[in-house]
Amino acid sequence: MKQQQPLRAIIPLAAAFAAVATAAQAPPARAEPSAAPSPPVSAAPEGWTELVDSLRTLPERILAKLPEDQRNDPQVRQEVGRLALEALAASSLDAIASDGDHPAFIPQIGQTLNVGQPNADTIYRSTSITPGGTYRLRGRRGSLPIFNVAQSFPTPNEAGATTGQVRLPAAFNDFNALHVDKSGRFDVILSPERPAGYTGDWWKLDPRAVRLLMRMVSSDWGKEEQPTVSIERLDGPATRPRPPAAELEQRLRRLPGATDFIALLLVRRVESLREQGFVNRLKVMTSMGQVPGQFYYEGAYELADSEALILEAKVPQACRYRSLLLTNELYETTDWINNQSSLNDAQAKPDKDGVLRVVVSAKDPGVPNWLDTAGYPRGIVQGRWTGCSAQPIPTARKVALGEVRAALPPETRTISQQERERVIRERRAAYQQRPLW
Protein backbone atom coordinates (compact mmCIF):
# COMPACT_ATOMS: atom_id res chain seq x y z
CA MET A 1 0.00 0.00 0.00
CA LYS A 2 2.82 2.39 0.76
CA GLN A 3 4.21 1.93 -2.76
CA GLN A 4 0.93 3.19 -4.25
CA GLN A 5 1.03 6.54 -2.41
CA PRO A 6 3.10 8.36 -5.07
CA LEU A 7 0.60 7.29 -7.74
CA ARG A 8 -2.30 8.62 -5.70
CA ALA A 9 -0.45 11.93 -5.31
CA ILE A 10 0.06 12.18 -9.07
CA ILE A 11 -3.61 11.53 -9.99
CA PRO A 12 -4.98 14.93 -8.75
CA LEU A 13 -2.07 16.77 -10.44
CA ALA A 14 -2.72 14.95 -13.72
CA ALA A 15 -6.39 15.82 -13.48
CA ALA A 16 -5.50 19.47 -13.02
CA PHE A 17 -3.28 19.46 -16.14
CA ALA A 18 -6.06 17.76 -18.10
CA ALA A 19 -8.50 20.45 -17.05
CA VAL A 20 -6.09 23.18 -18.18
CA ALA A 21 -5.56 21.43 -21.53
CA THR A 22 -9.34 21.05 -22.06
CA ALA A 23 -9.86 24.73 -21.30
CA ALA A 24 -7.14 25.68 -23.77
CA GLN A 25 -8.81 23.68 -26.55
CA ALA A 26 -12.29 25.02 -25.86
CA PRO A 27 -13.59 27.88 -28.06
CA PRO A 28 -13.08 31.33 -26.52
CA ALA A 29 -15.94 32.66 -24.48
CA ARG A 30 -17.92 35.43 -26.11
CA ALA A 31 -17.11 38.80 -24.57
CA GLU A 32 -19.87 40.57 -22.74
CA PRO A 33 -21.30 43.48 -24.74
CA SER A 34 -20.39 45.91 -21.96
CA ALA A 35 -16.66 44.89 -21.82
CA ALA A 36 -14.31 47.86 -22.36
CA PRO A 37 -11.75 47.61 -25.24
CA SER A 38 -8.10 47.01 -24.34
CA PRO A 39 -6.02 50.21 -24.15
CA PRO A 40 -3.60 50.76 -27.08
CA VAL A 41 0.04 49.76 -26.61
CA SER A 42 2.06 52.82 -25.61
CA ALA A 43 4.83 53.99 -27.94
CA ALA A 44 8.45 53.96 -26.77
CA PRO A 45 9.75 57.09 -25.01
CA GLU A 46 10.90 59.79 -27.39
CA GLY A 47 14.48 59.07 -28.44
CA TRP A 48 14.43 55.35 -27.63
CA THR A 49 13.75 54.12 -31.19
CA GLU A 50 16.61 56.22 -32.54
CA LEU A 51 18.96 54.66 -29.96
CA VAL A 52 17.90 51.12 -30.86
CA ASP A 53 18.24 51.82 -34.59
CA SER A 54 21.75 53.18 -34.08
CA LEU A 55 22.81 50.21 -31.97
CA ARG A 56 21.47 47.79 -34.58
CA THR A 57 24.08 48.98 -37.10
CA LEU A 58 26.96 49.83 -34.74
CA PRO A 59 28.81 46.47 -34.95
CA GLU A 60 28.78 46.48 -38.75
CA ARG A 61 30.04 50.07 -38.77
CA ILE A 62 32.91 49.02 -36.50
CA LEU A 63 33.67 46.02 -38.72
CA ALA A 64 33.71 48.26 -41.80
CA LYS A 65 36.77 50.02 -40.38
CA LEU A 66 38.76 46.77 -40.10
CA PRO A 67 40.66 44.87 -42.80
CA GLU A 68 38.85 42.04 -44.56
CA ASP A 69 40.61 39.21 -42.75
CA GLN A 70 39.42 40.60 -39.40
CA ARG A 71 35.88 41.29 -40.67
CA ASN A 72 35.57 37.61 -41.60
CA ASP A 73 37.17 36.23 -38.42
CA PRO A 74 34.44 34.78 -36.12
CA GLN A 75 36.55 35.57 -33.04
CA VAL A 76 37.07 39.21 -34.00
CA ARG A 77 33.42 39.59 -34.96
CA GLN A 78 32.31 38.57 -31.47
CA GLU A 79 34.93 40.87 -29.93
CA VAL A 80 33.44 43.70 -31.99
CA GLY A 81 30.10 42.89 -30.37
CA ARG A 82 31.79 43.13 -26.97
CA LEU A 83 33.36 46.47 -27.91
CA ALA A 84 29.94 47.83 -28.90
CA LEU A 85 28.52 46.73 -25.53
CA GLU A 86 31.44 48.33 -23.68
CA ALA A 87 30.86 51.62 -25.50
CA LEU A 88 27.14 51.47 -24.77
CA ALA A 89 27.70 50.70 -21.09
CA ALA A 90 30.20 53.53 -20.65
CA SER A 91 28.02 56.11 -22.41
CA SER A 92 24.87 54.85 -20.65
CA LEU A 93 26.41 55.37 -17.22
CA ASP A 94 27.18 58.95 -18.19
CA ALA A 95 23.67 59.50 -19.61
CA ILE A 96 22.03 58.17 -16.44
CA ALA A 97 24.23 59.99 -13.91
CA SER A 98 24.99 63.19 -15.83
CA ASP A 99 23.98 66.20 -13.75
CA GLY A 100 26.29 69.21 -13.59
CA ASP A 101 24.27 70.75 -10.75
CA HIS A 102 24.51 67.60 -8.57
CA PRO A 103 27.71 65.94 -9.78
CA ALA A 104 29.35 62.69 -8.67
CA PHE A 105 32.45 60.94 -9.96
CA ILE A 106 31.41 57.71 -11.69
CA PRO A 107 33.43 54.99 -13.50
CA GLN A 108 34.51 55.94 -17.00
CA ILE A 109 36.76 53.28 -18.57
CA GLY A 110 38.75 50.32 -17.24
CA GLN A 111 38.98 46.54 -17.42
CA THR A 112 35.20 46.10 -17.83
CA LEU A 113 34.51 49.29 -19.81
CA ASN A 114 37.55 48.55 -22.00
CA VAL A 115 37.30 51.25 -24.68
CA GLY A 116 39.90 53.79 -25.73
CA GLN A 117 42.81 51.69 -24.36
CA PRO A 118 42.69 52.41 -20.60
CA ASN A 119 46.03 52.41 -18.81
CA ALA A 120 46.34 49.31 -16.62
CA ASP A 121 47.49 51.30 -13.59
CA THR A 122 44.86 54.03 -13.79
CA ILE A 123 41.41 54.23 -12.22
CA TYR A 124 39.37 56.61 -14.39
CA ARG A 125 36.32 58.47 -13.11
CA SER A 126 34.40 61.37 -14.59
CA THR A 127 31.56 63.75 -13.81
CA SER A 128 29.59 66.34 -15.72
CA ILE A 129 29.73 69.94 -14.55
CA THR A 130 27.74 73.02 -15.47
CA PRO A 131 29.90 75.63 -17.25
CA GLY A 132 30.62 78.53 -14.94
CA GLY A 133 29.61 76.75 -11.74
CA THR A 134 31.43 76.78 -8.39
CA TYR A 135 32.46 73.37 -7.06
CA ARG A 136 34.04 72.01 -3.90
CA LEU A 137 36.19 68.86 -4.00
CA ARG A 138 37.35 67.25 -0.77
CA GLY A 139 38.63 63.93 0.51
CA ARG A 140 41.77 62.04 1.46
CA ARG A 141 44.78 62.52 -0.82
CA GLY A 142 46.40 59.10 -0.39
CA SER A 143 49.89 58.29 -1.68
CA LEU A 144 49.57 57.63 -5.42
CA PRO A 145 52.32 58.98 -7.70
CA ILE A 146 49.70 60.58 -9.99
CA PHE A 147 46.31 61.88 -8.86
CA ASN A 148 44.83 64.61 -11.04
CA VAL A 149 41.70 65.89 -12.74
CA ALA A 150 41.35 67.23 -16.27
CA GLN A 151 38.82 69.88 -17.27
CA SER A 152 37.34 68.71 -20.57
CA PHE A 153 35.51 70.43 -23.41
CA PRO A 154 32.39 68.93 -25.06
CA THR A 155 32.91 65.91 -27.31
CA PRO A 156 31.73 66.25 -30.95
CA ASN A 157 28.24 64.91 -30.21
CA GLU A 158 27.58 67.36 -27.35
CA ALA A 159 26.22 70.89 -27.36
CA GLY A 160 28.98 73.49 -27.44
CA ALA A 161 31.47 71.31 -29.31
CA THR A 162 33.58 72.87 -32.02
CA THR A 163 33.90 71.40 -35.49
CA GLY A 164 37.08 69.71 -36.62
CA GLN A 165 39.63 67.92 -34.47
CA VAL A 166 38.94 67.13 -30.82
CA ARG A 167 40.56 69.69 -28.56
CA LEU A 168 42.98 68.96 -25.75
CA PRO A 169 41.70 69.30 -22.16
CA ALA A 170 41.25 72.85 -20.93
CA ALA A 171 43.43 72.31 -17.85
CA PHE A 172 44.91 69.70 -15.52
CA ASN A 173 44.75 70.10 -11.75
CA ASP A 174 47.03 68.13 -9.43
CA PHE A 175 45.60 66.82 -6.14
CA ASN A 176 49.13 65.98 -4.94
CA ALA A 177 49.95 69.72 -4.97
CA LEU A 178 47.17 70.60 -2.53
CA HIS A 179 47.56 71.29 1.17
CA VAL A 180 46.42 68.52 3.51
CA ASP A 181 45.62 68.48 7.22
CA LYS A 182 47.06 66.09 9.82
CA SER A 183 44.71 63.36 8.59
CA GLY A 184 45.85 63.78 4.99
CA ARG A 185 42.61 65.45 3.89
CA PHE A 186 42.35 68.12 1.19
CA ASP A 187 39.67 70.73 0.43
CA VAL A 188 39.71 72.79 -2.79
CA ILE A 189 37.31 75.14 -4.61
CA LEU A 190 37.00 74.98 -8.43
CA SER A 191 35.40 78.05 -9.99
CA PRO A 192 35.89 80.66 -12.77
CA GLU A 193 37.01 83.23 -10.19
CA ARG A 194 38.35 82.88 -6.65
CA PRO A 195 35.46 83.42 -4.20
CA ALA A 196 35.68 86.75 -2.36
CA GLY A 197 37.52 86.42 0.93
CA TYR A 198 38.42 82.76 0.33
CA THR A 199 42.04 81.94 1.26
CA GLY A 200 42.11 78.15 0.89
CA ASP A 201 43.21 76.05 -2.08
CA TRP A 202 41.57 77.16 -5.32
CA TRP A 203 41.65 75.99 -8.96
CA LYS A 204 40.51 78.16 -11.85
CA LEU A 205 37.68 76.57 -13.86
CA ASP A 206 37.62 77.13 -17.60
CA PRO A 207 34.12 78.52 -18.31
CA ARG A 208 33.83 76.23 -21.38
CA ALA A 209 34.51 72.98 -19.47
CA VAL A 210 31.59 70.54 -19.23
CA ARG A 211 33.29 67.51 -17.64
CA LEU A 212 35.98 66.55 -15.15
CA LEU A 213 38.06 63.43 -15.84
CA MET A 214 39.92 62.10 -12.80
CA ARG A 215 42.97 59.81 -13.02
CA MET A 216 44.29 57.84 -10.05
CA VAL A 217 47.53 56.15 -11.15
CA SER A 218 49.11 53.47 -8.98
CA SER A 219 52.49 51.73 -9.28
CA ASP A 220 52.54 49.40 -6.28
CA TRP A 221 48.92 48.24 -6.30
CA GLY A 222 49.04 46.51 -2.94
CA LYS A 223 50.88 49.07 -0.81
CA GLU A 224 49.87 52.58 -1.84
CA GLU A 225 47.07 54.38 0.00
CA GLN A 226 44.14 54.99 -2.33
CA PRO A 227 42.54 58.46 -2.39
CA THR A 228 38.92 59.37 -1.75
CA VAL A 229 37.11 62.34 -3.26
CA SER A 230 33.67 63.96 -3.30
CA ILE A 231 32.34 66.87 -5.34
CA GLU A 232 29.42 69.26 -4.88
CA ARG A 233 28.20 72.44 -6.51
CA LEU A 234 28.16 75.33 -4.06
CA ASP A 235 26.25 78.00 -6.04
CA GLY A 236 22.98 76.05 -6.13
CA PRO A 237 20.54 74.15 -3.90
CA ALA A 238 21.77 71.09 -2.03
CA THR A 239 18.68 69.02 -2.82
CA ARG A 240 17.94 67.59 -6.25
CA PRO A 241 14.45 67.89 -7.78
CA ARG A 242 12.84 65.31 -10.06
CA PRO A 243 14.53 65.59 -13.50
CA PRO A 244 12.01 66.95 -16.01
CA ALA A 245 10.95 64.84 -18.99
CA ALA A 246 12.66 67.18 -21.48
CA GLU A 247 16.00 66.73 -19.76
CA LEU A 248 15.68 62.93 -19.66
CA GLU A 249 14.75 62.92 -23.36
CA GLN A 250 17.79 65.04 -24.17
CA ARG A 251 20.09 62.56 -22.39
CA LEU A 252 18.52 59.69 -24.33
CA ARG A 253 18.89 61.49 -27.65
CA ARG A 254 22.59 62.18 -26.98
CA LEU A 255 23.30 58.51 -26.26
CA PRO A 256 23.61 57.23 -29.87
CA GLY A 257 26.20 59.87 -30.73
CA ALA A 258 28.13 59.32 -27.50
CA THR A 259 28.21 55.55 -28.04
CA ASP A 260 29.34 55.92 -31.67
CA PHE A 261 32.08 58.35 -30.66
CA ILE A 262 33.57 55.96 -28.11
CA ALA A 263 33.21 52.80 -30.20
CA LEU A 264 34.51 54.13 -33.53
CA LEU A 265 37.17 56.65 -32.53
CA LEU A 266 40.28 54.45 -32.19
CA VAL A 267 39.31 51.07 -33.62
CA ARG A 268 41.67 51.52 -36.61
CA ARG A 269 44.70 52.54 -34.58
CA VAL A 270 46.42 49.15 -34.82
CA GLU A 271 45.85 48.89 -38.56
CA SER A 272 47.06 52.48 -39.01
CA LEU A 273 50.40 51.62 -37.38
CA ARG A 274 50.73 48.61 -39.68
CA GLU A 275 50.08 50.81 -42.72
CA GLN A 276 52.82 53.18 -41.52
CA GLY A 277 55.28 50.28 -41.29
CA PHE A 278 55.56 50.27 -37.48
CA VAL A 279 55.29 46.52 -36.97
CA ASN A 280 57.55 45.17 -34.21
CA ARG A 281 59.13 48.60 -33.86
CA LEU A 282 58.15 51.71 -31.91
CA LYS A 283 57.51 55.39 -32.60
CA VAL A 284 56.50 58.53 -30.72
CA MET A 285 52.77 58.52 -30.04
CA THR A 286 50.59 61.60 -30.29
CA SER A 287 47.57 61.74 -27.99
CA MET A 288 44.44 63.86 -27.85
CA GLY A 289 44.35 63.98 -24.06
CA GLN A 290 48.02 63.90 -23.12
CA VAL A 291 48.78 64.42 -19.44
CA PRO A 292 51.37 67.18 -18.77
CA GLY A 293 54.86 65.74 -18.40
CA GLN A 294 53.84 62.44 -19.99
CA PHE A 295 55.59 61.03 -23.09
CA TYR A 296 54.07 58.14 -25.05
CA TYR A 297 55.48 55.65 -27.56
CA GLU A 298 53.81 52.77 -29.37
CA GLY A 299 54.02 50.28 -32.20
CA ALA A 300 52.10 47.33 -33.60
CA TYR A 301 53.34 43.85 -32.75
CA GLU A 302 52.84 40.69 -34.80
CA LEU A 303 54.17 37.47 -33.28
CA ALA A 304 53.76 33.74 -33.81
CA ASP A 305 53.60 31.51 -30.74
CA SER A 306 57.23 30.53 -31.37
CA GLU A 307 58.45 34.15 -31.46
CA ALA A 308 59.21 36.91 -28.97
CA LEU A 309 59.83 40.65 -29.10
CA ILE A 310 62.58 42.02 -26.84
CA LEU A 311 62.21 45.70 -25.87
CA GLU A 312 65.20 47.59 -24.45
CA ALA A 313 65.55 51.13 -23.11
CA LYS A 314 67.88 52.93 -20.71
CA VAL A 315 65.77 53.96 -17.72
CA PRO A 316 65.97 57.74 -17.03
CA GLN A 317 67.80 58.72 -13.84
CA ALA A 318 64.71 60.49 -12.50
CA CYS A 319 61.23 59.19 -13.25
CA ARG A 320 57.95 59.58 -11.39
CA TYR A 321 56.16 56.81 -13.28
CA ARG A 322 56.67 54.48 -16.26
CA SER A 323 54.66 51.67 -17.79
CA LEU A 324 54.30 49.27 -20.70
CA LEU A 325 51.11 47.53 -21.81
CA LEU A 326 49.57 45.59 -24.67
CA THR A 327 46.31 45.96 -26.60
CA ASN A 328 44.45 43.69 -29.00
CA GLU A 329 43.59 44.52 -32.62
CA LEU A 330 40.53 46.55 -31.59
CA TYR A 331 42.60 48.74 -29.24
CA GLU A 332 41.12 47.18 -26.11
CA THR A 333 43.79 46.86 -23.42
CA THR A 334 44.76 43.21 -23.00
CA ASP A 335 43.38 41.74 -19.76
CA TRP A 336 46.00 42.93 -17.28
CA ILE A 337 44.27 41.68 -14.13
CA ASN A 338 44.36 37.96 -14.96
CA ASN A 339 47.52 38.09 -17.10
CA GLN A 340 50.86 39.85 -16.81
CA SER A 341 50.04 42.03 -19.81
CA SER A 342 51.24 45.30 -18.28
CA LEU A 343 54.31 46.32 -16.28
CA ASN A 344 55.13 49.52 -14.41
CA ASP A 345 58.11 50.88 -12.45
CA ALA A 346 57.19 48.84 -9.35
CA GLN A 347 56.70 45.63 -11.34
CA ALA A 348 59.58 45.63 -13.84
CA LYS A 349 63.15 46.38 -12.77
CA PRO A 350 66.09 47.30 -15.02
CA ASP A 351 69.24 45.16 -15.22
CA LYS A 352 72.59 46.07 -13.62
CA ASP A 353 73.51 48.24 -16.61
CA GLY A 354 70.39 50.39 -16.09
CA VAL A 355 68.65 49.01 -19.17
CA LEU A 356 65.05 47.84 -18.88
CA ARG A 357 64.53 44.67 -20.92
CA VAL A 358 61.01 43.34 -21.45
CA VAL A 359 59.97 40.24 -23.40
CA VAL A 360 56.67 40.21 -25.31
CA SER A 361 55.42 36.73 -26.22
CA ALA A 362 52.49 34.33 -26.18
CA LYS A 363 54.38 31.65 -24.22
CA ASP A 364 56.04 32.28 -20.88
CA PRO A 365 59.80 32.76 -21.44
CA GLY A 366 60.50 32.22 -17.73
CA VAL A 367 61.87 35.72 -17.07
CA PRO A 368 60.51 38.37 -14.64
CA ASN A 369 59.87 41.14 -17.19
CA TRP A 370 57.37 39.37 -19.44
CA LEU A 371 54.37 40.86 -21.26
CA ASP A 372 51.83 38.15 -22.01
CA THR A 373 49.98 38.58 -25.33
CA ALA A 374 47.24 36.39 -23.78
CA GLY A 375 46.07 34.81 -27.02
CA TYR A 376 46.28 37.90 -29.26
CA PRO A 377 48.94 37.33 -31.98
CA ARG A 378 48.60 40.97 -33.13
CA GLY A 379 48.05 44.20 -31.24
CA ILE A 380 49.92 47.23 -29.90
CA VAL A 381 52.81 47.74 -27.49
CA GLN A 382 52.41 51.09 -25.76
CA GLY A 383 54.60 52.74 -23.15
CA ARG A 384 54.81 56.00 -21.26
CA TRP A 385 57.34 57.98 -19.26
CA THR A 386 55.78 60.45 -16.79
CA GLY A 387 57.80 63.13 -15.03
CA CYS A 388 61.04 61.59 -16.28
CA SER A 389 64.39 63.26 -16.99
CA ALA A 390 64.55 61.57 -20.41
CA GLN A 391 62.09 59.95 -22.82
CA PRO A 392 63.86 57.18 -24.73
CA ILE A 393 62.01 55.12 -27.34
CA PRO A 394 62.88 51.46 -26.70
CA THR A 395 64.45 49.37 -29.41
CA ALA A 396 62.58 46.22 -30.45
CA ARG A 397 63.98 43.02 -31.97
CA LYS A 398 62.14 39.85 -32.85
CA VAL A 399 63.78 36.55 -31.90
CA ALA A 400 62.79 32.91 -31.68
CA LEU A 401 61.30 32.05 -28.30
CA GLY A 402 64.12 29.57 -27.70
CA GLU A 403 66.71 32.34 -28.18
CA VAL A 404 65.29 34.71 -25.55
CA ARG A 405 67.57 33.56 -22.74
CA ALA A 406 70.70 34.00 -24.87
CA ALA A 407 69.59 37.53 -25.83
CA LEU A 408 69.32 38.66 -22.19
CA PRO A 409 72.07 39.30 -19.61
CA PRO A 410 73.34 36.07 -18.00
CA GLU A 411 72.24 37.21 -14.54
CA THR A 412 68.57 37.41 -15.65
CA ARG A 413 66.55 35.51 -13.07
CA THR A 414 64.47 32.46 -13.99
CA ILE A 415 60.79 32.43 -13.02
CA SER A 416 59.26 28.98 -12.51
CA GLN A 417 55.68 28.18 -13.50
CA GLN A 418 54.74 27.92 -9.81
CA GLU A 419 56.16 31.36 -9.07
CA ARG A 420 54.41 32.84 -12.10
CA GLU A 421 51.10 31.47 -10.83
CA ARG A 422 51.74 33.05 -7.44
CA VAL A 423 52.65 36.40 -9.02
CA ILE A 424 49.47 36.45 -11.11
CA ARG A 425 47.27 35.57 -8.14
CA GLU A 426 48.84 38.28 -5.96
CA ARG A 427 48.59 40.76 -8.84
CA ARG A 428 44.89 40.04 -9.28
CA ALA A 429 44.15 40.31 -5.56
CA ALA A 430 46.01 43.62 -5.23
CA TYR A 431 44.19 45.11 -8.21
CA GLN A 432 40.74 43.99 -7.12
CA GLN A 433 41.30 45.57 -3.72
CA ARG A 434 41.67 48.99 -5.34
CA PRO A 435 38.53 51.19 -5.56
CA LEU A 436 37.53 50.14 -9.07
CA TRP A 437 34.02 51.61 -8.98
Side-chain angles (χ1 to χ4, degrees), residues 42-354:
S42 299
E46 287 72 12
W48 183 264
T49 301
E50 292 83 350
L51 170 62
V52 173
D53 289 344
S54 177
L55 291 175
R56 187 176 291 112
T57 63
L58 179 56
E60 60 192 72
R61 287 184 281 128
I62 297 174
L63 286 165
K65 289 180 168 287
L66 301 176
E68 185 177 1
D69 63 326
Q70 293 183 47
R71 292 199 300 269
N72 297 329
D73 186 333
Q75 178 74 31
V76 174
R77 291 176 63 83
Q78 291 301 321
E79 289 168 350
V80 163
R82 178 182 64 194
L83 177 64
L85 286 174
E86 291 166 344
L88 174 62
S91 56
S92 295
L93 279 175
D94 185 64
I96 294 168
S98 177
D99 187 342
D101 296 331
H102 297 84
F105 284 105
I106 62 171
Q108 194 202 43
I109 56 176
Q111 174 67 73
T112 302
L113 307 178
N114 195 346
V115 286
Q117 184 270 303
N119 179 29
D121 300 310
T122 304
I123 303 300
Y124 299 86
R125 293 178 183 167
S126 67
T127 183
S128 296
I129 57 173
T130 301
T134 297
Y135 295 90
R136 180 188 186 188
L137 292 86
R138 49 181 166 162
R140 193 179 301 277
R141 191 170 66 186
S143 62
L144 302 187
I146 301 173
F147 177 30
N148 60 34
V149 65
Q151 303 177 26
S152 299
F153 295 114
T155 53
N157 63 289
E158 294 178 313
T162 57
T163 57
Q165 195 171 23
V166 179
R167 294 184 292 179
L168 293 172
F172 279 90
N173 301 111
D174 187 3
F175 287 98
N176 286 337
L178 296 175
H179 298 94
V180 293
D181 62 17
K182 294 180 180 179
S183 300
R185 303 189 65 84
F186 65 87
D187 197 330
V188 59
I189 299 296
L190 176 66
S191 60
E193 302 294 337
R194 179 187 283 273
Y198 179 73
T199 58
D201 281 329
W202 172 74
W203 289 333
K204 183 174 181 61
L205 176 63
D206 190 300
R208 301 163 295 174
V210 298
R211 181 174 292 101
L212 300 179
L213 170 58
M214 188 167 62
R215 291 176 173 88
M216 298 180 286
V217 186
S218 180
S219 291
D220 193 333
W221 299 348
K223 295 182 179 178
E224 291 161 340
E225 181 186 356
Q226 302 297 318
T228 63
V229 61
S230 65
I231 181 172
E232 61 178 321
R233 184 170 183 180
L234 297 181
D235 57 335
T239 58
R240 181 187 184 187
R242 180 181 184 180
E247 179 184 327
L248 296 177
E249 179 183 344
Q250 187 180 41
R251 296 186 194 184
L252 193 57
R253 291 193 180 279
R254 285 199 301 261
L255 196 48
T259 303
D260 285 1
F261 177 73
I262 296 172
L264 299 169
L265 180 63
L266 298 169
V267 73
R268 282 203 81 257
R269 197 171 187 98
V270 181
E271 188 61 24
S272 176
L273 285 168
R274 284 204 201 97
E275 293 170 353
Q276 297 171 44
F278 287 95
V279 178
N280 295 332
R281 66 191 186 103
L282 305 172
K283 58 167 283 190
V284 175
M285 170 188 168
T286 56
S287 172
M288 293 182 300
Q290 188 162 325
V291 178
Q294 189 151 278
F295 176 88
Y296 298 86
Y297 56 87
E298 67 176 353
Y301 76 81
E302 190 165 334
L303 297 168
D305 285 356
S306 59
E307 297 175 326
L309 195 65
I310 299 179
L311 311 176
E312 296 181 300
K314 186 80 172 180
V315 174
Q317 288 187 346
C319 202
R320 180 155 50 114
Y321 169 77
R322 58 173 164 82
S323 74
L324 273 161
L325 57 79
L326 303 179
T327 81
N328 63 13
E329 292 175 294
L330 301 179
Y331 210 53
E332 297 171 301
T333 306
T334 305
D335 181 355
W336 66 88
I337 299 177
N338 302 295
N339 307 285
Q340 190 170 289
S341 296
S342 73
L343 291 169
N344 61 38
D345 50 287
Q347 299 164 344
K349 301 301 181 184
D351 294 314
K352 292 179 180 179
D353 57 3

